[in-house]
Amino acid sequence: MTGPRSASTPPSTPGAGEVTATVIVNAPAERVYAAFTAWERQGDWIPFTKVRITDGDGGEGSTVEAVTTVGPAILRDEMKIAKLDPPYEVRVVHTGRLLRGPGVMRCTAMGGGRTQVVWHEWFQLPAGPAGRFAGAVLWPGSKVGLTQMLRRFARLVEAGTLP
C-alpha cells in the first residue's frame, strides 16, 4: 500500500484507496466472466454509467472508458485492460487524471454451478486535504456502492439478461 500519489506515480501502482466487494452468482464461472467482460453492457448494472471501448477489441491491451453522470457531475474513468485469464480473472489499470490504480475481478467456480466474484480496487488518492477527505468519506461509501453493483450484476446474470 502506498500513500498519496505524486505526479510521477505510475497508474499501475496500488494506492491507499482500497475497496473490495464479493458476491455469489448462481451461474457458472464462464457465464459470469463473459458477462463481466461485456464491457459496453456494464452500464446495465453500474448506475448512471455508459461504458465504451475506445481502443482495441475489448481484449488485453484495449482501452475502456466509463463515464458516470449524476446531474452536472461527470466522472470519466479511463482504464487499460492489463490481463484477461478466462474464466478466472480480469485485471485493469485505471489511467485517468482522477481515478488511477489497479483493479482485479476474480471468478471462483463453486459447487452447484455457482461462482464467487471478488472485485478489488486499489485507487491512488490525491495528495493533501483532497486525498484525506476522499479516504475518510468516499471509500466507506465505495464498498457499499461496489457491493450493490455486484448484487445487481448477479441478478442480471442469473436472469439471463447478461451477457
Side-chain angles (χ1 to χ4, degrees), residues 65-109:
E65 176 187 66
V67 178
T68 303
T69 305
V70 180
I74 297 172
L75 176 63
R76 187 174 315 278
D77 182 8
E78 301 163 80
M79 63 200 97
K80 182 75 110 174
I81 301 169
K83 180 181 179 182
L84 295 175
D85 182 15
Y88 307 108
E89 185 175 85
V90 174
R91 289 185 176 269
V92 300
V93 176
H94 300 270
T95 59
R97 287 184 14 194
L98 183 59
L99 295 177
R100 296 174 65 83
V104 63
M105 186 278 302
R106 291 189 180 100
C107 292
T108 304

Side-chain angles (χ1 to χ4, degrees), residues 127-146:
R132 287 192 296 279
F133 174 79
V137 175
L138 299 179
W139 296 123
S142 293
K143 180 172 178 64
V144 170
L146 195 60

Side-chain angles (χ1 to χ4, degrees), residues 31-54:
R31 199 164 104 215
V32 171
Y33 185 91
F36 192 88
T37 56
W39 304 108
E40 294 179 342
R41 296 285 312 274
Q42 287 188 355
D44 293 355
W45 51 277
I46 301 174
F48 313 109
T49 302
K50 292 188 180 189
V51 180
R52 68 186 182 102
I53 299 167
T54 56

Side-chain angles (χ1 to χ4, degrees), residues 24-25 27 29 87-88 105-111 114-118:
I24 304 295
V25 184
Y88 307 108
M105 186 278 302
R106 291 189 180 100
C107 292
T108 304
M110 302 172 66
R114 299 179 320 143
T115 303
Q116 179 189 47
V117 177
V118 178

